[in-house]
Amino acid sequence: MLPPKTVVISGGSKGLGSAMVSTFLNKGYRVATFSRQSNEFIVQKQLSNDDFFYWESVDVNYLSQIKSFISSVNSKFGHIDILINNIAKLSEGLLVFSSDRDIISLLNTNILAPIILTRECSKGMLKRNAGIILNISSINSIKGHKGVSLYSATKAAIDGITRSLAREFGPANIRVNSLVPGFFDSDMVSYLSENRRKQILKRTPIGRLSKIEEISKVALFICSDDAAFITGQNIIVDGGMSC
């Protein structure tokens, strides 16, 4: 009997990250994740899934911590089958008022950290000639919205990396896709005014925000054997907003 697959999910302490942690654990995967700080969710998973769950405190502004985390995961679980680049920082505001510090922080979290994680995880995948990488993008990468130009730029970069790496890693049987969620209920959209929410719902054919579990289940499908011939795709889950 084959051992359970190991999935690394960056930023798994809350929001979509925590939903994916729960979804993959419930399906029998071994899950490794990191965040800056622990919380009640992480503690609960550590207590109830000791042999299948691993968490570490990581500040992505320090690349050495990312490398150390991947080394720890390989030591605990043997190898990594799946990487989900979920960690992201949302920056809202007009570009002209953005400080150098804010720009650098956003680029570090949303682009540099996923690149380093991908490089570190893909080393083992290339040796084993198998693997899956899923990048969590955003509807902002394909549809313009005022005040999120920096965030949009980082997510568009993730979509571009996805397509190039799909060609680069395809011969080694490593699939690379990006999941492009529309607006879904989470802390990342808590800043939206009631009027802004109404505008979003009006432009969404299905007429509601996505449930976070719906996005998580799509991630599970993309990373499953049922999606074995899907690679290099930006898979949009937005209730029809972009159509």
Side-chain angles (χ1 to χ4, degrees):
M1 183 176 178
L2 293 174
K5 290 185 177 181
T6 299
V7 53
V8 168
I9 303 173
S10 63
S13 65
K14 59 184 179 179
L16 178 58
S18 64
M20 290 191 292
V21 166
S22 295
T23 295
F24 278 83
L25 282 173
N26 291 339
K27 285 295 183 178
Y29 288 78
R30 298 182 297 195
V31 177
T33 189
F34 67 80
S35 55
R36 284 195 179 188
Q37 296 180 330
S38 181
N39 58 15
E40 185 177 342
F41 173 81
I42 294 296
V43 171
Q44 188 273 326
K45 293 303 179 187
Q46 288 174 319
L47 291 173
S48 59
N49 301 276
D50 183 55
D51 294 334
F52 277 70
F53 181 74
Y54 178 74
W55 173 86
E56 193 173 302
S57 174
V58 172
D59 183 341
V60 295
N61 289 297
Y62 299 95
L63 301 185
S64 60
Q65 292 187 19
I66 297 177
K67 298 173 187 177
S68 176
F69 168 76
I70 296 303
S71 178
S72 297
V73 175
N74 281 319
S75 295
K76 181 174 177 63
F77 293 135
H79 65 267
I80 295 167
D81 299 283
I82 302 166
L83 166 65
I84 301 181
N85 280 311
N86 167 71
I87 193 169
K89 180 177 182 180
L90 176 61
S91 176
E92 188 188 24
L94 299 179
L95 176 62
V96 70
F97 297 124
S98 301
S99 68
D100 291 352
R101 182 177 180 179
D102 288 341
I103 293 172
I104 292 169
S105 177
L106 196 72
L107 295 177
N108 281 344
T109 302
N110 294 10
I111 299 180
L112 187 56
I115 288 174
I116 298 301
L117 277 165
T118 300
R119 185 188 68 186
E120 296 303 303
C121 289
S122 65
K123 292 175 182 178
M125 293 177 181
L126 288 166
K127 289 180 181 178
R128 292 172 35 253
N129 210 50
I132 296 168
I133 298 168
L134 178 61
N135 297 317
I136 305 301
S137 181
S138 166
I139 192 67
N140 290 292
S141 71
I142 61 171
K143 194 171 182 66
H145 294 101
K146 180 181 177 181
V148 289
S149 59
L150 290 173
Y151 180 75
S152 299
T154 63
K155 290 304 184 179
I158 289 297
D159 287 346
I161 290 168
T162 295
R163 291 186 289 270
S164 292
L165 286 181
R167 287 193 173 274
E168 191 172 320
F169 289 158
N173 195 35
I174 299 171
R175 297 193 294 111
V176 189
N177 291 289
S178 75
L179 173 56
V180 186
F183 291 92
F184 58 91
D185 278 318
S186 73
D187 291 342
M188 288 190 76
V189 297
S190 61
Y191 69 92
L192 293 174
S193 66
E194 187 60 30
N195 184 55
R196 182 80 173 95
R197 280 176 174 261
K198 288 180 180 179
Q199 290 175 348
I200 291 170
L201 296 181
K202 187 177 180 180
R203 293 199 299 266
T204 304
I206 289 182
R208 63 172 175 84
L209 297 181
S210 170
K211 298 174 183 177
I212 200 166
E213 294 80 11
E214 292 174 314
I215 306 298
S216 182
K217 288 177 182 178
V218 175
L220 179 67
F221 167 73
I222 298 171
C223 294
S224 73
D225 291 339
D226 291 334
F229 205 59
I230 300 175
T231 193
Q233 302 305 306
N234 304 135
I235 299 164
I236 303 171
V237 185
D238 68 348
M241 185 180 188
S242 59
C243 65

